Every structure is written in structure tokens, then in C-alpha cells.
């Protein structure tokens, strides 16, 4: 049988409450009965002592026993549901009460009021001046004698326990419904949001507020998941659009020119054929980029680990880009801490590819007469490399996605040739090296990429 979390939680709380109230009522009832019965037994003990003292005084007063020696106590004994019998020193009955006189009354006055009591009696010696002068027999139909007031008192106590139990259950039921709603409502809201996300409604969000840390974290997590799914969906659509556009452009150029040549509109010349060949090469580069993207997605990048001197690696990359920088009159400036260890454990070729991409972007997206700084520093555990430029920068809303595949930010950046997977490769390679990369940028001010590589990196390929 299916149940909502509110129903299940309410049932659990109510069940636990019923058990707790029942056990509490039972323990309280037993405790009160035992305490009350002990109290009554103490009273009976004091009564028996008082009876013995009374008959001692009677004997001292009269000097002997007679048929009226105990008559003064008969009325009190009858009213208190016990029976008295006086014996002399020879254990002969001097006078006594008939236990049948209290039998019917005792049945009605016993604690349970239903079971027939068994008549029992206790004998107490009457001593005067150190000599036993007689005995008094005290008999009754119940181990503990209760008056009507006593029975009424116990009945009221039991009624109070029952009433308290019922009232407690009612209050607990109301509280459980309120509490279960506080728990179940946000969870139900998050559940509905997750269902909507699974159905492709990536704009679905949970707006429920809760002061419970775990529920608040759950709500924030599901909303964050929705945002990421929505972003990934937009990136997927954009990726398809970009790939379609990139493939369609060279194909259209090839098709239009070939048709024109076939129709004799455009003469077949070496220059035209070279232009068409350039489009074929461009198309081949696009396919290579798509293969690289496939490699990223399938985790096919393998590392060949060794000790890498980052100073030498960066100097080599800067030297390789000196001509490209000179063409745009861009200065490549390298700053490094002297007398510091800048050696890391990594794959030389893959790390070189990382900084080729980063420095290439610094030049590609820079302005003429701009600067690109490569700053190298280190601490006890890592080597830190900053690639900083004063180029066109990246919009704030695009910063989150710069490492996503095929993402190239706003349309103005599309005017600059590129595949859109360079930074994705950078992120992937650094992740395999257990390294980190952060980006800071301001539009029209420049961009800074900060790479942090552990000196003794332990990664999944080591």
C-alpha cells in the first residue's frame, strides 16, 4: 500500500505516542496502587497497635475481662469493615463479632468490587505488666481495607490518568500532523521538482523555505541541479547549432563553386581550386576537432608521467608564439621567481598543450599592441602559473561556461577563428593531473587564468 511521507511520519509518531502513553499510564497506575496500598497497610498496622493499647487500658481499668470489655470498639470495627474477637489468657472467647455482619459490606467495599474475598485474621497478644492477659483477633475479607472515600479517591485517580492519556494523544496527534506537514511539504516540493526535471522541464525550481538544515541543503541541491541541467541543455542545443553551422558553411562554399564551375559560370582555375582545397582542409580540421571532442567525452586521454620543469616548458611555448605575437605587436612577458623549484610530476606534452591553448588565447583575443604576462611562482606544495592578458575579456555571464565544450561566449568572439574546445581540453588535462584552473575576467579589461599544479601530484594514471 502506497503512503505519502506525511501519512507514514504521522502514523509513526502517533503509534509511538500511543505506546508511550499506554506504558506511562500503566506504570503510573501500578505505582499509585502500590503506594496507596502500602499507605493503607501502614494505617492498618497503626490501627492494630492502637487496638492492642486500647485493650491494655481496658484490662488495667477493670482488672479482668468481661462480656462488655470490647463493646465500645464494635461500632468502629463494623464501620471500618473488620471483625474483632477478644480471648482471655486461656484463649477462651470473652466476646466477639460475627464476621457475617461485615461480609456483604466488604464485598462491595473491596478494591476491585467483583471478586469474593477470603476471610483472614491476625492474632495480637495483650500484655500488661509483662504478662499476657489475653489476645485480640482482627479479621477482614481483604488484605487492604478501603473505605468508600478510598475507593472514590482511587477511581478519580484512574479517571484522571485515562483523561490525561486521551488528552495527550489528542495533543500529540495534532502536533504530529503539524510536524509531519513541516517535514513532508518541503520534501514533497523537492520530489515534485525532481520529477519535473526528469521529464525535461529544466526550468522547474523549488521555492519552499525551511529552517531544517538538511531540507534546506536538499532544496538548494535540487535547484542547483536544475540550473546545471538547464545550462547543459542550452549548451547541447548551442553545440548542435554551432556544429551544424560549421559543417554547413564549407559544404555550401564547395557546392556553390562546383555547381558554378560545372555550369561554366566560373572558369576552372588553379586559384579557384586552391580556394576549394582550403575549404576542404577547413572541413578536415573541423572533423579533427570533433574527434578531439569525442576523445574528451570517452576519457581516452592517457598520461605519460615524468618530472617536468615548468620554466623550460613555458619558455619553449613562449618562443613558439613569438612570431604570432610580433605580427599583432603583442609583448610576451615571462616573470618567474628565482631560486625556486618549479618542477612538477606530469605529462610534458599534455601540459605543453595546456599552455599552448592558454597563451594562444591570450594572443588571439588580445588587442594590437597588447601584452601577455606569464607569471610563475610556487609554494611548498604547488607551482602556480598565471596567464594574464589585457585583451577583450569575457562577459560575466559567460565566465561559468568558458570550460564547456564548443562554448565561445558572445557572437563577437565568433569572429575570431577557433573550435571552442581548447579550454575544455585544458580543463580535462589539468583534472587528470589533479591540478586546478581558475579564471578572472572583465570585459574590455583582460583575462587571467591561474593554474595550480601539485609538485608531487598523485593522479589516477600514476
Amino acid at each position: 500500500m502506497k503512503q505519502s511521507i506525511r501519512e507514514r511520519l504521522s502514523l509513526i509518531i502517533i503509534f509511538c505516542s500511543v505506546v508511550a502513553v499506554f506504558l506511562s499510564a500503566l506504570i503510573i497506575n501500578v505505582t499509585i496502587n502500590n503506594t496507596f496500598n502500602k499507605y493503607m497497610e501502614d494505617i492498618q498496622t497503626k490501627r492494630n497497635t492502637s487496638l492492642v493499647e486500647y485493650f491494655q487500658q481496658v484490662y488495667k481499668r477493670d482488672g479482668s475481662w468481661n462480656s462488655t470489655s470490647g463493646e465500645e470498639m464494635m461500632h468502629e470495627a463494623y464501620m471500618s469493615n473488620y471483625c474483632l474477637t477478644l480471648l482471655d489468657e486461656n484463649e477462651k472467647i470473652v466476646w466477639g463479632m460475627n464476621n457475617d455482619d461485615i461480609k456483604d459490606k466488604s464485598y462491595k467495599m473491596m478494591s476491585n468490587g467483583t471478586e469474593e474475598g477470603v476471610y483472614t485474621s491476625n492474632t495480637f497478644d495483650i500484655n500488661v505488666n509483662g504478662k499476657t492477659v489475653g489476645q485480640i483477633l482482627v479479621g477482614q475479607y481483604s488484605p487492604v481495607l478501603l473505605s468508600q472515600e478510598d475507593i472514590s479517591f482511587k477511581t478519580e485517580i484512574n479517571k484522571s490518568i485515562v483523561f490525561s492519556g486521551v488528552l495527550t494523544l489528542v495533543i500529540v496527534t495534532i502536533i504530529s500532523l503539524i510536524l509531519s506537514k513541516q517535514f513532508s511539504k518541503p520534501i514533497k516540493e523537492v520530489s515534485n521538482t525532481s520529477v519535473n526535471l526528469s521529464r525535461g522541464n529544466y526550468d522547474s525550481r523549488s521555492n519552499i523555505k525551511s529552517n531544517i538544515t538538511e531540507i534546506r541543503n536538499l532544496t538548494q541541491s535540487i535547484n542547483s541541479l536544475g540550473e546545471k541541467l538547464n545550462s547543459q541543455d542550452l549548451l547541447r542545443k548551442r553545440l548542435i547549432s554551432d556544429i551544424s553551422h560549421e559543417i554547413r558553411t564549407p559544404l555550401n562554399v564547395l557546392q556553390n563553386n562546383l555547381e558554378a564551375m560545372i555550369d561554366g559560370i566560373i572558369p576552372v582555375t588553379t586559384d579557384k581550386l586552391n580556394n576549394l582545397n582550403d575549404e576542404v582542409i577547413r572541413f578536415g580540421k573541423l572533423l579533427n576537432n570533433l574527434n578531439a571532442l569525442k576523445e574528451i567525452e570517452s576519457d581516452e586521454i592517457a598520461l605519460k608521467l615524468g618530472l617536468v620543469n615548468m620554466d623550460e616548458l613555458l619558455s619553449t611555448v613562449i618562443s613558439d608564439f613569438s612570431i604570432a605575437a610580433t605580427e599583432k605587436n603583442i609583448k610576451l612577458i615571462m616573470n618567474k621567481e628565482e631560486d625556486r623549484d618549479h618542477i612538477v610530476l606530469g605529462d610534458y606534452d599534455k601540459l605543453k598543450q595546456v599552455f599552448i591553448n592558454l597563451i594562444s588565447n591570450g594572443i588571439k583575443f588580445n588587442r594590437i599592441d597588447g601584452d601577455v604576462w606569464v607569471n610563475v611562482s610556487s609554494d611548498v606544495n604547488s607551482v602556480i602559473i598565471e596567464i594574464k592578458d589585457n585583451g577583450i575579456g569575457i562577459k560575466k555571464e559567460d565566465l561559468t561556461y568558458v570550460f564547456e565544450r564548443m562554448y565561445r561566449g558572445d557572437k563577437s568572439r565568433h569572429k575570431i577563428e577557433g573550435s571552442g574546445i581548447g579550454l575544455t581540453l585544458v580543463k580535462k588535462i589539468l583534472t587528470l593531473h589533479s591540478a586546478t584552473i581558475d579564471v578572472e575576467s572583465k570585459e574590455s579589461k583582460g583575462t587571467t587564468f591561474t593554474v595550480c599544479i601539485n609538485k608531487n601530484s598523485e593522479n589516477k594514471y600514476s
Side-chain angles (χ1 to χ4, degrees), residues 79-266:
M79 295 302 298
S80 300
N81 304 317
Y82 62 87
C83 182
L84 295 177
T85 302
L86 179 63
L87 305 177
D88 61 14
E89 63 271 19
N90 297 318
E91 297 185 356
K92 293 182 179 180
I93 297 176
V94 177
W95 68 267
M97 297 172 57
N98 187 349
N99 62 328
D100 290 337
D101 293 341
I102 63 170
K103 184 175 182 179
D104 294 337
K105 186 178 179 183
S106 295
Y107 289 165
K108 298 177 182 179
M109 299 292 287
M110 281 188 296
S111 59
N112 52 30
T114 57
E115 297 179 358
E116 293 188 359
V118 177
Y119 185 81
T120 58
S121 62
N122 295 306
T123 303
F124 303 95
D125 292 334
I126 302 173
N127 298 316
V128 176
N129 298 326
K131 177 183 177 182
T132 301
V133 296
Q135 294 177 327
I136 182 70
L137 273 67
V138 181
Q140 59 193 46
Y141 282 94
S142 174
V144 178
L145 293 179
L146 301 177
S147 65
Q148 187 62 47
E149 290 76 11
D150 296 331
I151 295 174
S152 297
F153 174 76
K154 291 185 69 176
T155 301
E156 291 301 318
I157 289 292
N158 288 330
K159 286 181 179 179
S160 298
I161 293 174
V162 172
F163 176 77
S164 299
V166 173
L167 181 61
T168 301
L169 287 177
V170 172
I171 294 173
V172 167
T173 300
I174 295 173
I175 293 175
S176 69
L177 292 175
I178 296 172
L179 289 177
S180 63
K181 184 178 181 180
Q182 290 180 346
F183 277 97
S184 64
K185 187 176 180 181
I187 295 176
K188 183 178 180 181
E189 180 75 16
V190 171
S191 175
N192 291 337
T193 302
S194 65
V195 170
N196 290 334
L197 291 176
S198 68
R199 291 174 178 172
N201 183 12
Y202 301 133
D203 292 324
S204 179
R205 298 290 182 272
S206 176
N207 298 318
I208 197 72
K209 303 296 182 183
S210 176
N211 56 2
I212 300 172
T213 302
E214 289 78 6
I215 293 178
R216 187 170 61 252
N217 291 340
L218 179 61
T219 302
Q220 292 172 352
S221 298
I222 201 69
N223 287 338
S224 177
L225 175 62
E227 291 173 1
K228 290 180 179 178
L229 288 173
N230 192 40
S231 298
Q232 289 297 320
D233 187 55
L234 292 174
L235 286 171
R236 178 183 61 82
K237 293 176 181 178
R238 185 168 184 172
L239 173 62
I240 295 171
S241 175
D242 288 347
I243 291 176
S244 175
H245 174 76
E246 294 289 342
I247 291 176
R248 185 171 57 249
T249 300
L251 288 178
N252 286 340
V253 171
L254 286 171
Q255 182 181 6
N256 293 335
N257 281 273
L258 287 173
E259 286 178 352
M261 289 179 184
I262 292 170
D263 295 337
I265 300 172
I266 298 176

Side-chain angles (χ1 to χ4, degrees), residues 331-349:
K331 292 180 182 179
L332 283 174
I333 305 166
M334 182 172 176
N335 300 312
K336 62 180 181 179
E337 295 178 334
E338 300 296 337
D339 302 324
R340 284 294 185 97
D341 179 13
H342 296 150
I343 297 175
V344 299
L345 179 65
D347 185 316
Y348 181 90
D349 292 331

Side-chain angles (χ1 to χ4, degrees), residues 310 313-314 344 350-359 374-379 382-388 403 423 426-427 429-431 433-440 448-455:
M310 295 306 299
L313 183 149
L314 291 168
V344 299
K350 294 297 186 293
L351 289 177
K352 185 176 180 180
Q353 186 177 356
V354 166
F355 293 102
I356 285 174
N357 281 318
L358 293 177
I359 294 174
V374 180
N375 302 320
V376 187
S377 61
S378 67
D379 55 25
S382 34
V383 175
I384 303 159
I385 303 101
E386 271 188 355
I387 311 296
K388 182 179 179 182
F403 298 109
L423 290 179
V426 166
K427 180 73 171 180
I429 292 170
L430 291 175
T431 300
H433 281 82
S434 299
T436 62
I437 181 168
D438 296 307
V439 58
E440 294 180 1
T448 302
F449 286 94
T450 304
V451 177
C452 184
I453 308 174
N454 294 332
K455 289 183 177 178

